[in-house]
Every structure is written in structure tokens, then in C-alpha cells.
Amino acid sequence: MRKLSKNKKRTPAMSAKTNALGWLLILPAVLMFALMVWRPIVIAFTDAFYKIQGVERIEFVGFKNFIDVLTDENFTKSLLNTVKYVLWSLVIGLPLPFITAIMLNEMVHTKNTFNVLMYLPCVIPAMATYLIWKMVYSDGAGGLLNMIVTFFGKDATTWLSDSNKVIPLIIVAMTWNSFGSSVILYLSSLQGVDQSLYEAARLDGAGIFTRVRVVMMPNLYGILLLNVIRQIIGVFQVYEQPLTMTGGGPNGASQTLGLMNYYYAFKYGQFDKSMALGVITFLLLIWLTLIYFRLDKKIND
């Protein structure tokens, strides 16, 4: 039989055929991406410059919608609340999964059992989770926290009705819902560290805190930094949690830019302002995403 040469050169016709076959294979995904992602973005950017009645463009108004949104008294408050969500998520939602992952990584027995238990909250639908936590935080004698408080002889207190407590309490619910996936992510990163370094540190008599500082942190600095940026981007878009648990109250204390956008569109029917606010939020997230990619490239290089 005639053997084909391993070094046979690819002809232009062969390359064109291969490229055409590749484009044909990815064409459905490209079309879906264009229709479901880029088309709505283009429409939103266009509608933001029009006065919209129902779903029809009435007239071109330029930057009026943006000015109306930026001068809305709720915009500044919602932006500050969104920043508070981000800050509280970094205080509560970032260190707890990481510390738990370190503890699991140090365990010898029943590690797999704890991994399953940690991941169970992620199986529960997000909306059901926040409805459960709303009942936990419920004011009066019917709330679980107030039941615990009154059991120890204290008076029942307000939780989600307190403007100073509402954002940290919602962040606790968000952290619980995503706790398992965050722990698994950190744990996989920890297990990727060279085990010989752990053994050398143990033989040298290094304790857990020394091993974390000397062995773990230098190897996990990159993934921690990237997770900080990813968490900021994710929490910056929060809206379903305050919508489900508080409706943005009390007195707008838990309202975010995402929830404000939702109310513009589906409560007040002001789709033009909703589009303008969506564009503003999109540009802010693009800026954060560029920071993320720059850090990712710097760390991986």
C-alpha cells in the first residue's frame, strides 16, 4: 500500500475546506450568541437614546434618558447601596469559604463527606433559598432568629426592617447559597499546590498558620485576586435577592442598581430609562471586566 508522507504539505484547497468545515460547526453557536447576547445589547444601546412608549420608539431624545437617570434621587442611593453590597461580600463572603477550604484541606478523614455537605446549599434553587432566609429573618415571634433570641430570654428584634442590618443580612444569605461552590473552587486550588512543600513544612515543624502563610498564600495569591474581581462583578449585578427578601426596603436601604432597573421596566413601565440605566451599568461592568482580564493575563504570564 502506498504510504502517505507525514510531512505532506497542506494545499490551499485543503486549508479552505478545513476552515469552511470549522465555521460550519460553530455557526449555530455564533448565531445563537449574536441573537441572544449581542442583539439585545445593540437594541439597548439604541433604545437608550429614544423616548419609548410601550415597546415602540416615539422620538429621538439624545442623552435625556441618561440625564434623567443620573439626576434621579434614587440613583445615587442605589449606587452607594450596590457598593455596600460589594464591600460586605468581600468582608463576609470572601474569607469564610477560603478558611473552610483550608480546614477541609487539612482533614485526613471524612473529607469527602464534608465536601458533599458543603455543596448541598448550591443544589437548592436560588429563589427558594432567599424565601427561606426571608422567613428566618422574619420580624415578630414567627421568625427563626427571633425564636432563638426569645428562647434565651431576650426580646424579639427587627432584622430586615433595620436599614443598618439589611445589607449584611442579605449578604449572609447570598454567601450561604454560593458557599459550597466557592469552597470547592478554593479546595481544588489548594490541592493543586505541590504536596512536597506541605510535607517539608510539616517536617520542619511548621504549624497550620505558618503553612498557610509560607506555602499556601504564595501559590494562591493569583486565584484569590481573580476571585475578588469576579465577586465584585457578580455582586455588582445583584437584584433578585433584595427583590425577594425586602423589595428594596426599608425606605430603599437595600435597593441596588439592578433592582432600580427592574422597577423602571416592570413596575413603572419606563423602558427608556431602564435601557439608559442598563447601559450605564454595562459600561461600569465592562470597566471591571477589563481589570479582571488584565489581572488574569498578568498572573498567568
Side-chain angles (χ1 to χ4, degrees):
M1 295 179 63
R2 184 180 177 182
K3 294 184 178 179
L4 294 175
S5 173
K6 293 183 179 179
N7 298 324
K8 185 178 180 180
K9 294 183 179 180
R10 295 174 62 89
T11 65
M14 293 174 60
S15 298
K17 184 178 179 180
T18 303
N19 290 336
L21 181 60
W23 278 107
L24 185 63
L25 290 173
I26 68 171
L27 183 60
V30 172
L31 290 176
M32 288 298 296
F33 187 81
L35 290 174
M36 303 302 294
V37 178
W38 286 110
R39 180 175 175 271
I41 292 175
V42 172
I43 292 174
F45 268 83
T46 305
D47 287 351
F49 294 95
Y50 283 85
K51 179 180 179 181
I52 299 177
Q53 187 173 357
V55 293
E56 296 183 358
R57 299 171 184 168
I58 303 301
E59 62 176 323
F60 181 80
V61 294
F63 289 95
K64 182 179 183 301
N65 293 327
F66 293 94
I67 295 172
D68 290 343
V69 169
L70 293 173
T71 55
D72 189 334
E73 61 179 7
N74 291 321
F75 176 79
T76 303
K77 188 172 185 178
S78 298
L79 179 60
L80 291 176
N81 286 342
T82 304
V83 173
K84 289 180 183 178
Y85 275 95
V86 170
L87 294 177
W88 275 109
S89 73
L90 296 178
V91 172
I92 298 174
L94 190 67
L96 290 180
F98 183 65
I99 293 172
T100 304
I102 292 175
M103 294 170 62
L104 289 175
N105 191 58
E106 292 294 317
M107 293 177 64
V108 178
H109 304 291
T110 68
K111 180 185 295 187
N112 293 333
T113 302
F114 277 99
N115 287 343
V116 172
L117 293 176
M118 290 293 174
Y119 194 75
L120 281 179
C122 299
V123 180
I124 303 173
M127 194 61 69
T129 297
Y130 302 129
L131 289 173
I132 292 171
W133 277 95
K134 182 179 180 179
M135 291 186 288
V136 171
Y137 292 141
S138 179
D139 296 338
L144 178 61
L145 282 181
N146 277 335
M147 289 182 182
I148 296 173
V149 168
T150 54
F151 177 80
F152 288 101
K154 303 293 183 180
D155 295 331
T157 184
T158 57
W159 299 100
L160 295 177
S161 299
D162 189 331
S163 59
N164 295 319
K165 299 176 184 175
V166 62
I167 291 180
L169 292 176
I170 292 176
I171 289 296
V172 169
M174 293 171 61
T175 302
W176 187 85
N177 181 245
S178 61
F179 193 81
S181 57
S182 299
V183 170
I184 296 298
L185 176 64
Y186 288 128
L187 187 59
S188 62
S189 300
L190 286 170
Q191 291 176 346
V193 178
D194 189 355
Q195 296 299 310
S196 63
L197 299 176
Y198 285 118
E199 295 302 324
R202 286 193 178 96
L203 291 174
D204 289 340
I208 177 62
F209 295 107
T210 303
R211 292 199 300 273
V212 169
R213 179 174 56 85
V214 176
V215 180
M216 295 181 186
M217 291 306 298
N219 290 278
L220 297 178
Y221 175 76
I223 189 66
L224 279 173
L225 187 57
L226 292 179
N227 279 338
V228 167
I229 301 297
R230 289 177 58 190
Q231 185 160 314
I232 291 173
I233 294 172
V235 176
F236 204 86
Q237 304 174 71
V238 62
Y239 88 94
E240 63 176 326
Q241 294 84 357
L243 174 65
T244 304
M245 299 176 69
T246 64
N251 297 321
S254 61
Q255 182 165 295
T256 63
L257 290 178
L259 185 57
M260 183 180 175
N261 198 339
Y262 175 87
Y263 282 154
Y264 269 145
F266 300 107
K267 186 175 182 179
Y268 307 121
Q270 298 174 334
F271 292 100
D272 41 14
K273 291 184 179 179
S274 174
M275 295 297 181
L277 180 55
V279 169
I280 294 171
T281 306
F282 178 81
L283 294 176
L284 289 172
L285 290 175
I286 284 291
W287 177 67
L288 291 172
T289 304
L290 290 175
I291 294 176
Y292 171 82
F293 282 125
R294 179 171 293 183
L295 288 173
D296 184 41
K297 183 178 180 181
K298 184 177 179 180
I299 289 168
N300 291 327
D301 290 345

mmCIF file of all heavy atoms in Angstrom, residues 209-236:
data_model
loop_
_atom_site.group_PDB
_atom_site.id
_atom_site.type_symbol
_atom_site.label_atom_id
_atom_site.label_comp_id
_atom_site.label_asym_id
_atom_site.label_seq_id
_atom_site.Cartn_x
_atom_site.Cartn_y
_atom_site.Cartn_z
ATOM 1 N N PHE A 209 -0.767 27.879 60.706
ATOM 2 C CA PHE A 209 -0.694 29.282 60.295
ATOM 3 C C PHE A 209 0.578 29.560 59.489
ATOM 4 O O PHE A 209 0.563 30.327 58.522
ATOM 5 C CB PHE A 209 -0.772 30.192 61.516
ATOM 6 C CG PHE A 209 -2.079 30.123 62.243
ATOM 7 C CD1 PHE A 209 -2.180 29.476 63.466
ATOM 8 C CD2 PHE A 209 -3.226 30.686 61.685
ATOM 9 C CE1 PHE A 209 -3.392 29.397 64.131
ATOM 10 C CE2 PHE A 209 -4.446 30.606 62.349
ATOM 11 C CZ PHE A 209 -4.527 29.953 63.576
ATOM 12 N N THR A 210 1.655 28.924 59.882
ATOM 13 C CA THR A 210 2.900 29.090 59.126
ATOM 14 C C THR A 210 2.790 28.472 57.747
ATOM 15 O O THR A 210 3.260 29.034 56.750
ATOM 16 C CB THR A 210 4.074 28.450 59.886
ATOM 17 O OG1 THR A 210 4.169 29.029 61.197
ATOM 18 C CG2 THR A 210 5.377 28.681 59.141
ATOM 19 N N ARG A 211 2.147 27.292 57.657
ATOM 20 C CA ARG A 211 1.973 26.646 56.351
ATOM 21 C C ARG A 211 1.084 27.481 55.438
ATOM 22 O O ARG A 211 1.334 27.573 54.235
ATOM 23 C CB ARG A 211 1.377 25.246 56.530
ATOM 24 C CG ARG A 211 2.332 24.264 57.208
ATOM 25 C CD ARG A 211 1.926 22.826 56.956
ATOM 26 N NE ARG A 211 0.596 22.520 57.455
ATOM 27 C CZ ARG A 211 0.327 22.126 58.686
ATOM 28 N NH1 ARG A 211 1.319 22.007 59.577
ATOM 29 N NH2 ARG A 211 -0.904 21.846 59.051
ATOM 30 N N VAL A 212 0.053 28.092 56.018
ATOM 31 C CA VAL A 212 -0.825 28.955 55.220
ATOM 32 C C VAL A 212 -0.052 30.159 54.693
ATOM 33 O O VAL A 212 -0.160 30.523 53.514
ATOM 34 C CB VAL A 212 -2.036 29.417 56.056
ATOM 35 C CG1 VAL A 212 -2.801 30.515 55.333
ATOM 36 C CG2 VAL A 212 -2.954 28.242 56.357
ATOM 37 N N ARG A 213 0.758 30.765 55.561
ATOM 38 C CA ARG A 213 1.476 31.990 55.178
ATOM 39 C C ARG A 213 2.619 31.707 54.214
ATOM 40 O O ARG A 213 2.818 32.456 53.247
ATOM 41 C CB ARG A 213 2.015 32.682 56.444
ATOM 42 C CG ARG A 213 2.801 33.948 56.176
ATOM 43 C CD ARG A 213 3.143 34.625 57.491
ATOM 44 N NE ARG A 213 3.861 33.761 58.386
ATOM 45 C CZ ARG A 213 5.179 33.581 58.365
ATOM 46 N NH1 ARG A 213 5.918 34.220 57.462
ATOM 47 N NH2 ARG A 213 5.765 32.776 59.221
ATOM 48 N N VAL A 214 3.349 30.611 54.451
ATOM 49 C CA VAL A 214 4.570 30.356 53.676
ATOM 50 C C VAL A 214 4.302 29.515 52.436
ATOM 51 O O VAL A 214 4.890 29.758 51.372
ATOM 52 C CB VAL A 214 5.630 29.673 54.571
ATOM 53 C CG1 VAL A 214 6.860 29.320 53.758
ATOM 54 C CG2 VAL A 214 6.002 30.576 55.737
ATOM 55 N N VAL A 215 3.403 28.528 52.532
ATOM 56 C CA VAL A 215 3.197 27.588 51.434
ATOM 57 C C VAL A 215 1.963 27.933 50.600
ATOM 58 O O VAL A 215 2.026 28.027 49.375
ATOM 59 C CB VAL A 215 3.077 26.144 51.972
ATOM 60 C CG1 VAL A 215 2.856 25.168 50.817
ATOM 61 C CG2 VAL A 215 4.317 25.761 52.756
ATOM 62 N N MET A 216 0.824 28.133 51.285
ATOM 63 C CA MET A 216 -0.429 28.295 50.550
ATOM 64 C C MET A 216 -0.562 29.656 49.873
ATOM 65 O O MET A 216 -0.852 29.747 48.675
ATOM 66 C CB MET A 216 -1.616 28.081 51.494
ATOM 67 C CG MET A 216 -1.721 26.689 52.049
ATOM 68 S SD MET A 216 -3.165 26.512 53.130
ATOM 69 C CE MET A 216 -2.910 24.860 53.749
ATOM 70 N N MET A 217 -0.379 30.720 50.650
ATOM 71 C CA MET A 217 -0.675 32.056 50.130
ATOM 72 C C MET A 217 0.146 32.439 48.903
ATOM 73 O O MET A 217 -0.406 33.001 47.946
ATOM 74 C CB MET A 217 -0.495 33.099 51.234
ATOM 75 C CG MET A 217 -1.543 33.008 52.330
ATOM 76 S SD MET A 217 -3.235 33.055 51.713
ATOM 77 C CE MET A 217 -3.290 34.672 50.957
ATOM 78 N N PRO A 218 1.461 32.155 48.862
ATOM 79 C CA PRO A 218 2.203 32.497 47.633
ATOM 80 C C PRO A 218 1.671 31.793 46.395
ATOM 81 O O PRO A 218 1.746 32.329 45.293
ATOM 82 C CB PRO A 218 3.636 32.042 47.956
ATOM 83 C CG PRO A 218 3.729 32.078 49.438
ATOM 84 C CD PRO A 218 2.378 31.653 49.920
ATOM 85 N N ASN A 219 1.119 30.578 46.573
ATOM 86 C CA ASN A 219 0.603 29.829 45.433
ATOM 87 C C ASN A 219 -0.845 30.179 45.097
ATOM 88 O O ASN A 219 -1.312 29.889 43.993
ATOM 89 C CB ASN A 219 0.694 28.322 45.713
ATOM 90 C CG ASN A 219 2.117 27.815 45.729
ATOM 91 O OD1 ASN A 219 2.703 27.553 44.695
ATOM 92 N ND2 ASN A 219 2.697 27.706 46.923
ATOM 93 N N LEU A 220 -1.558 30.767 46.054
ATOM 94 C CA LEU A 220 -2.976 31.067 45.853
ATOM 95 C C LEU A 220 -3.257 32.555 45.703
ATOM 96 O O LEU A 220 -4.418 32.947 45.574
ATOM 97 C CB LEU A 220 -3.796 30.515 47.028
ATOM 98 C CG LEU A 220 -3.779 29.003 47.203
ATOM 99 C CD1 LEU A 220 -4.599 28.608 48.422
ATOM 100 C CD2 LEU A 220 -4.330 28.331 45.965
ATOM 101 N N TYR A 221 -2.229 33.372 45.727
ATOM 102 C CA TYR A 221 -2.439 34.820 45.632
ATOM 103 C C TYR A 221 -3.176 35.186 44.342
ATOM 104 O O TYR A 221 -4.095 36.000 44.342
ATOM 105 C CB TYR A 221 -1.095 35.545 45.701
ATOM 106 C CG TYR A 221 -1.211 37.040 45.496
ATOM 107 C CD1 TYR A 221 -1.687 37.862 46.507
ATOM 108 C CD2 TYR A 221 -0.845 37.627 44.276
ATOM 109 C CE1 TYR A 221 -1.798 39.235 46.324
ATOM 110 C CE2 TYR A 221 -0.952 38.996 44.085
ATOM 111 C CZ TYR A 221 -1.431 39.794 45.112
ATOM 112 O OH TYR A 221 -1.551 41.144 44.920
ATOM 113 N N GLY A 222 -2.783 34.543 43.240
ATOM 114 C CA GLY A 222 -3.393 34.857 41.954
ATOM 115 C C GLY A 222 -4.866 34.522 41.909
ATOM 116 O O GLY A 222 -5.691 35.344 41.502
ATOM 117 N N ILE A 223 -5.239 33.305 42.346
ATOM 118 C CA ILE A 223 -6.638 32.886 42.297
ATOM 119 C C ILE A 223 -7.486 33.711 43.254
ATOM 120 O O ILE A 223 -8.648 34.019 42.969
ATOM 121 C CB ILE A 223 -6.766 31.373 42.611
ATOM 122 C CG1 ILE A 223 -8.182 30.884 42.336
ATOM 123 C CG2 ILE A 223 -6.374 31.058 44.028
ATOM 124 C CD1 ILE A 223 -8.578 30.914 40.897
ATOM 125 N N LEU A 224 -6.912 34.110 44.391
ATOM 126 C CA LEU A 224 -7.653 34.965 45.323
ATOM 127 C C LEU A 224 -7.935 36.324 44.699
ATOM 128 O O LEU A 224 -9.057 36.849 44.809
ATOM 129 C CB LEU A 224 -6.855 35.138 46.622
ATOM 130 C CG LEU A 224 -6.950 34.005 47.640
ATOM 131 C CD1 LEU A 224 -5.966 34.247 48.781
ATOM 132 C CD2 LEU A 224 -8.366 33.900 48.193
ATOM 133 N N LEU A 225 -6.941 36.901 44.046
ATOM 134 C CA LEU A 225 -7.116 38.211 43.434
ATOM 135 C C LEU A 225 -8.160 38.161 42.322
ATOM 136 O O LEU A 225 -9.021 39.049 42.213
ATOM 137 C CB LEU A 225 -5.774 38.697 42.872
ATOM 138 C CG LEU A 225 -5.734 40.138 42.331
ATOM 139 C CD1 LEU A 225 -6.148 41.127 43.408
ATOM 140 C CD2 LEU A 225 -4.341 40.469 41.808
ATOM 141 N N LEU A 226 -8.115 37.110 41.517
ATOM 142 C CA LEU A 226 -9.101 36.965 40.452
ATOM 143 C C LEU A 226 -10.504 36.755 41.020
ATOM 144 O O LEU A 226 -11.484 37.283 40.484
ATOM 145 C CB LEU A 226 -8.725 35.799 39.541
ATOM 146 C CG LEU A 226 -7.474 35.991 38.687
ATOM 147 C CD1 LEU A 226 -7.205 34.739 37.859
ATOM 148 C CD2 LEU A 226 -7.623 37.190 37.767
ATOM 149 N N ASN A 227 -10.625 35.997 42.091
ATOM 150 C CA ASN A 227 -11.935 35.775 42.701
ATOM 151 C C ASN A 227 -12.498 37.046 43.306
ATOM 152 O O ASN A 227 -13.715 37.239 43.341
ATOM 153 C CB ASN A 227 -11.845 34.682 43.769
ATOM 154 C CG ASN A 227 -11.883 33.296 43.163
ATOM 155 O OD1 ASN A 227 -12.353 33.109 42.050
ATOM 156 N ND2 ASN A 227 -11.371 32.322 43.887
ATOM 157 N N VAL A 228 -11.619 37.918 43.798
ATOM 158 C CA VAL A 228 -12.084 39.212 44.306
ATOM 159 C C VAL A 228 -12.750 40.006 43.183
ATOM 160 O O VAL A 228 -13.858 40.535 43.343
ATOM 161 C CB VAL A 228 -10.912 40.016 44.916
ATOM 162 C CG1 VAL A 228 -11.322 41.463 45.154
ATOM 163 C CG2 VAL A 228 -10.468 39.390 46.232
ATOM 164 N N ILE A 229 -12.088 40.086 42.026
ATOM 165 C CA ILE A 229 -12.643 40.832 40.896
ATOM 166 C C ILE A 229 -13.925 40.175 40.407
ATOM 167 O O ILE A 229 -14.928 40.853 40.122
ATOM 168 C CB ILE A 229 -11.621 40.935 39.751
ATOM 169 C CG1 ILE A 229 -10.346 41.628 40.243
ATOM 170 C CG2 ILE A 229 -12.210 41.685 38.575
ATOM 171 C CD1 ILE A 229 -10.559 43.050 40.699
ATOM 172 N N ARG A 230 -13.935 38.841 40.310
ATOM 173 C CA ARG A 230 -15.136 38.137 39.861
ATOM 174 C C ARG A 230 -16.288 38.355 40.821
ATOM 175 O O ARG A 230 -17.435 38.530 40.397
ATOM 176 C CB ARG A 230 -14.839 36.639 39.739
ATOM 177 C CG ARG A 230 -13.933 36.276 38.574
ATOM 178 C CD ARG A 230 -13.628 34.800 38.546
ATOM 179 N NE ARG A 230 -14.846 34.011 38.456
ATOM 180 C CZ ARG A 230 -14.885 32.691 38.611
ATOM 181 N NH1 ARG A 230 -13.763 32.033 38.898
ATOM 182 N NH2 ARG A 230 -16.008 32.040 38.491
ATOM 183 N N GLN A 231 -16.002 38.360 42.108
ATOM 184 C CA GLN A 231 -17.060 38.565 43.094
ATOM 185 C C GLN A 231 -17.603 39.984 43.029
ATOM 186 O O GLN A 231 -18.807 40.206 43.150
ATOM 187 C CB GLN A 231 -16.527 38.265 44.499
ATOM 188 C CG GLN A 231 -17.611 38.328 45.571
ATOM 189 C CD GLN A 231 -17.191 37.566 46.814
ATOM 190 O OE1 GLN A 231 -16.690 36.444 46.727
ATOM 191 N NE2 GLN A 231 -17.405 38.155 47.968
ATOM 192 N N ILE A 232 -16.725 40.953 42.815
ATOM 193 C CA ILE A 232 -17.168 42.339 42.681
ATOM 194 C C ILE A 232 -18.100 42.469 41.478
ATOM 195 O O ILE A 232 -19.174 43.092 41.570
ATOM 196 C CB ILE A 232 -15.959 43.281 42.531
ATOM 197 C CG1 ILE A 232 -15.179 43.355 43.850
ATOM 198 C CG2 ILE A 232 -16.415 44.687 42.114
ATOM 199 C CD1 ILE A 232 -13.881 44.127 43.756
ATOM 200 N N ILE A 233 -17.716 41.858 40.347
ATOM 201 C CA ILE A 233 -18.546 41.919 39.139
ATOM 202 C C ILE A 233 -19.895 41.248 39.387
ATOM 203 O O ILE A 233 -20.952 41.759 38.995
ATOM 204 C CB ILE A 233 -17.821 41.267 37.954
ATOM 205 C CG1 ILE A 233 -16.582 42.091 37.577
ATOM 206 C CG2 ILE A 233 -18.738 41.137 36.747
ATOM 207 C CD1 ILE A 233 -15.694 41.425 36.532
ATOM 208 N N GLY A 234 -19.877 40.079 40.035
ATOM 209 C CA GLY A 234 -21.119 39.351 40.285
ATOM 210 C C GLY A 234 -22.046 40.076 41.236
ATOM 211 O O GLY A 234 -23.250 40.215 40.967
ATOM 212 N N VAL A 235 -21.522 40.549 42.347
ATOM 213 C CA VAL A 235 -22.352 41.217 43.348
ATOM 214 C C VAL A 235 -22.842 42.572 42.840
ATOM 215 O O VAL A 235 -23.919 43.031 43.226
ATOM 216 C CB VAL A 235 -21.567 41.379 44.671
ATOM 217 C CG1 VAL A 235 -22.376 42.161 45.704
ATOM 218 C CG2 VAL A 235 -21.200 40.017 45.237
ATOM 219 N N PHE A 236 -22.087 43.201 41.953
ATOM 220 C CA PHE A 236 -22.495 44.494 41.406
ATOM 221 C C PHE A 236 -23.806 44.380 40.630
ATOM 222 O O PHE A 236 -24.511 45.364 40.453
ATOM 223 C CB PHE A 236 -21.401 45.050 40.491
ATOM 224 C CG PHE A 236 -21.434 46.537 40.327
ATOM 225 C CD1 PHE A 236 -20.784 47.363 41.238
ATOM 226 C CD2 PHE A 236 -22.120 47.123 39.282
ATOM 227 C CE1 PHE A 236 -20.823 48.738 41.100
ATOM 228 C CE2 PHE A 236 -22.162 48.494 39.124
ATOM 229 C CZ PHE A 236 -21.512 49.310 40.048
#
